Amino acid sequence: MELFQAFILGMVQGLGEFLPISSSAHLILAPWLFGWPDQGLAFDIALHWGTLIAVVTYFYNDIWLLIKGFFHSLRKSTRDFENNIYQKLSWFLILASIPGAVIGKLLESRVETSFRNPLLIAATLSVVGLILYLADRYGSKLKSLTHLSWVNALIIGVSQAAAIIPGVSRSGATMTTGLLQGFTRQDAAKFSFLMSIPIILGAGVFKLPEIAQIENHAQLAVGFISSTIFGFLAIKYMLKYIANRSFAVFTWYRFALAAVIVIVYLIRS
């Protein structure tokens, strides 16, 4: 793998992790479309660490309040779930992370084999893109995170588990589910971004031995830095964009990419 390929893959991961377009699908499609050698799942997970740094950097103040809220919630004298949103959110984020962790472990072998099929990716890109469009158009978008319940969090967590299939998109699935439950675009996105922290951290720690075996440290560093930078920019401008605009552009992008995949697949067949 050349350094510019590592840079492109890092950019793809950084943008795809937080835009509802599926980073895992793009990391599979890039080498498939351009004839590059497959970088392997360990390299993909390493790139995810870059987006982890990006989301922690962007939401560092919220994360600090979540940590404080969690520990305060453990003590009866400081527990106040009714008035302290961060105490409540800290537990909801833990709850929402459980389905993804369980499903990810159970289907780990398929992530590296059958789930990397281009036609499967084309199908999931299209189906989830359509659901995102409908959720954005018809969702009430009246609720803020103060209205989030444990049921809402668990349902969003289950949707995150579906993102183990490339093309679904972790952020796309969780934002769509948030919209379907009546949350605003920005709050659905914010909860989705915060949810990425435990799931990326867990996957990264689990795959750390394999990441350590990657021999080309220059490629790893370039991909990691690229992923961090573009991940931070994706979060910043995504939140600004959806403040006044719909998710429709991402739906049309998913449809267009799915069409390209099918066309290239048929030509090569």
Side-chain angles (χ1 to χ4, degrees):
M1 184 194 308
E2 301 294 334
L3 289 180
F4 86 91
Q5 294 175 0
F7 174 82
I8 294 298
L9 291 173
M11 179 181 68
V12 164
Q13 166 58 29
L15 296 175
E17 181 63 37
F18 301 113
L19 304 182
I21 57 175
S22 181
S23 62
S24 59
H26 284 72
L27 289 174
I28 294 168
L29 292 172
W32 180 72
L33 286 171
F34 301 121
W36 299 346
D38 191 294
Q39 68 276 5
L41 189 59
F43 190 83
D44 290 355
I45 297 296
L47 296 182
H48 278 69
W49 279 76
T51 50
L52 176 64
I53 298 300
V55 71
V56 168
T57 301
Y58 191 88
F59 289 109
Y60 72 92
N61 187 56
D62 291 276
I63 293 168
W64 173 242
L65 292 173
L66 285 165
I67 294 171
K68 287 175 59 179
F70 173 76
F71 284 107
H72 284 167
S73 73
L74 298 177
R75 298 168 55 191
K76 189 174 181 180
S77 60
T78 55
R79 187 179 303 145
D80 187 9
F81 289 118
E82 290 296 324
N83 299 308
N84 190 315
I85 186 175
Y86 289 100
Q87 289 190 21
K88 183 172 66 172
L89 279 180
S90 65
W91 283 98
F92 287 168
L93 287 168
I94 294 171
L95 176 64
S97 301
I98 294 173
V102 173
I103 298 299
K105 180 61 179 174
L106 291 175
L107 298 180
E108 178 189 3
S109 61
R110 294 200 174 189
V111 174
E112 303 188 42
T113 54
S114 57
F115 282 175
R116 298 173 80 85
N117 183 291
L119 290 182
L120 173 63
I121 293 173
T124 52
L125 282 170
S126 301
V127 172
V128 177
L130 178 60
I131 298 173
L132 173 62
Y133 176 81
L134 295 174
D136 187 35
R137 180 163 186 176
Y138 297 108
S140 65
K141 296 182 282 292
L142 296 175
K143 295 181 182 178
S144 68
L145 288 181
T146 58
H147 299 99
L148 189 72
S149 69
W150 71 267
V151 175
N152 297 140
L154 184 59
I155 292 173
I156 295 173
V158 171
S159 73
Q160 177 173 251
I164 193 167
I165 304 173
V168 170
S169 170
R170 189 204 59 79
S171 59
T174 52
M175 289 180 198
T176 297
T177 307
L179 290 169
L180 286 172
Q181 296 183 94
F183 289 92
T184 67
R185 294 186 184 110
Q186 286 183 301
D187 279 354
K190 183 175 181 178
F191 191 70
S192 170
F193 295 158
L194 291 172
M195 281 178 66
S196 71
I197 296 173
I199 201 73
I200 294 175
L201 182 61
V205 170
F206 185 73
K207 286 288 184 179
L208 200 56
E210 295 180 38
I211 295 173
Q213 293 177 8
I214 298 176
E215 297 181 354
N216 196 318
H217 294 162
Q219 295 172 351
L220 193 61
V222 169
F224 177 85
I225 294 171
S226 175
S227 176
T228 302
I229 293 172
F230 284 99
F232 184 89
L233 294 174
I235 296 171
K236 179 179 180 179
Y237 290 106
M238 176 69 171
L239 288 173
K240 288 185 177 180
Y241 179 84
I242 61 176
N244 301 302
R245 298 178 180 87
S246 74
F247 284 96
V249 64
F250 302 108
T251 293
W252 292 116
Y253 172 80
R254 293 172 73 103
F255 287 164
L257 181 58
V260 170
I261 294 170
V262 173
I263 292 170
V264 172
Y265 185 88
L266 292 175
I267 291 173
R268 291 180 178 178
S269 298

